[in-house]
């Protein structure tokens, strides 16, 4: 199994911290956010990890190198000066990910989730990890049914954690989700494809009740850093 780390975002809400450092490279608990993911992926036995980049892209190989210190082989999928969104970024990285299911994780989150819990062969196009709704996102994203299937709409929504396992087939039909010219390479979001897959019952999931942080503001980064240093 290979893995993809989404790291191409501009980090606009984190400025001025991200003026010279991409958000996944900001430190929490004494190490870059992305390093927490790399350690867990290596522990899982994954050897090949793709990191998609855009904003301040050269900083990633400068700080992470080729991944050897974690026992990994890092590949960088550079998207150009403007990020391609989640769907476009995944499509752009697909030649490096291959034909098998892969694990994908947002580079700007932190979680104590054990990646080994996630299925290596999802029952459908995707398997998503959902978490309790944080205060900054009370409405949630998706509904987890008692059968383990995820629906786009329903009464009790949970928040998508930014962690999931995908089959490349999730990207089939992406062109139909884009109005107008998607550009080259194409820029589009993954969410419409996920919702379409949910409508045909092709997305499963689970509820992670442990720790999870979307590091979307300097305050949340500071709180996470303090918490991790206290438990060290």
């Amino acid at each position: 199994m290979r893995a993809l780390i989404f790291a191409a975002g501009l980090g606009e809400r984190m400025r001025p911290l991200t003026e010279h450092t991409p958000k996944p490279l900001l430190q929490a608990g004494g190490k870059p956010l992305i390093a927490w993911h790399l350690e867990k992926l290596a522990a899982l036995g994954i050897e090949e990890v793709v990191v998609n980049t855009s904003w301040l892209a050269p900083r990633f190989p400068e700080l992470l190198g080729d991944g050897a210190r974690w026992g990994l082989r890092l590949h960088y999928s550079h998207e150009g000066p403007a990020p391609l969104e989640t769907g476009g970024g995944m499509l752009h990285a697909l030649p490096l990910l291959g034909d098998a299911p892969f694990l994908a994780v947002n580079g700007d989150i932190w979680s104590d989730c054990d990646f080994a819990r996630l299925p290596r062969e999802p029952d459908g196009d995707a398997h998503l990890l959902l978490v309790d709704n944080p205060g900054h996102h009370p409405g949630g994203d998706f509904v987890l049914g008692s059968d383990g299937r995820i629906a786009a709409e329903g009464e009790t929504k949970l928040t998508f954690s930014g962690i999931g396992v995908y089959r490349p087939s999730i990207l089939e039909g992406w062109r139909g989700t884009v109005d107008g010219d998607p550009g080259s390479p194409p820029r589009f979001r993954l969410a419409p494809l996920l919702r379409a897959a949910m409508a045909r019952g092709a997305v499963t999931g689970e509820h992670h009740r442990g720790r999870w942080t979307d590091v979307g503001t300097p305050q949340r980064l500071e709180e996470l850093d303090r918490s991790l240093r206290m438990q060290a």
Side-chain angles (χ1 to χ4, degrees):
M1 181 180 241
R2 298 182 182 183
L4 169 65
I5 299 179
F6 288 110
L10 299 176
E12 293 176 323
R13 292 179 299 161
M14 294 292 288
R15 295 182 186 271
L17 298 179
T18 50
E19 288 180 357
H20 304 289
T21 303
K23 186 160 56 165
L25 295 181
L26 294 174
Q27 295 221 354
K31 67 185 76 170
L33 289 168
I34 197 171
W36 292 92
H37 297 326
L38 295 175
E39 289 176 357
K40 293 171 74 171
L41 293 171
L44 185 59
I46 288 177
E47 298 178 349
E48 310 249 359
V49 177
V50 179
V51 180
N52 75 336
T53 64
S54 175
W55 174 248
L56 300 174
R59 295 301 311 280
F60 287 94
E62 285 175 8
L63 293 178
L64 305 178
D66 61 3
R69 79 187 74 169
W70 295 281
L72 299 168
R73 288 189 293 274
L74 296 185
H75 307 275
Y76 297 99
S77 176
H78 182 52
E79 300 179 1
L84 300 177
E85 301 281 2
T86 46
M90 185 179 286
L91 181 67
H92 192 254
L94 210 54
L96 296 170
L97 291 167
D99 299 326
F102 56 90
L103 192 157
V105 54
N106 291 356
D108 58 356
I109 65 165
W110 184 93
S111 176
D112 64 357
C113 167
D114 180 4
F115 289 167
R117 291 175 37 191
L118 301 171
R120 292 189 174 234
E121 293 280 345
D123 181 15
D125 289 331
H127 182 89
L128 308 182
L129 190 76
L130 305 181
V131 296
D132 292 334
N133 300 329
H136 57 85
H137 190 60
D141 298 307
F142 306 125
V143 177
L144 179 62
S146 58
D147 60 353
R149 300 284 169 180
I150 292 182
E153 299 298 334
E155 291 186 5
T156 305
K157 288 186 175 182
L158 296 170
T159 290
F160 175 42
S161 68
I163 302 170
V165 179
Y166 303 87
R167 294 185 185 276
S169 57
I170 190 68
L171 294 168
E172 294 176 1
W174 70 264
R175 188 63 183 83
T177 69
V178 180
D179 293 329
D181 182 6
S184 180
R187 177 179 289 103
F188 61 94
R189 298 176 63 222
L190 184 62
L193 289 166
L194 282 172
R195 291 190 176 95
M198 290 172 191
R200 59 178 185 269
V203 179
T204 58
E206 58 189 275
H207 183 185
H208 175 61
R209 292 175 169 81
R211 298 176 62 193
W212 175 84
T213 300
D214 171 15
V215 186
T217 65
Q219 179 183 357
R220 281 183 236 152
L221 177 64
E222 182 180 348
E223 292 171 352
L224 174 63
D225 179 60
R226 184 166 53 249
S227 173
L228 292 174
R229 290 182 182 278
M230 288 178 62
Q231 72 180 38

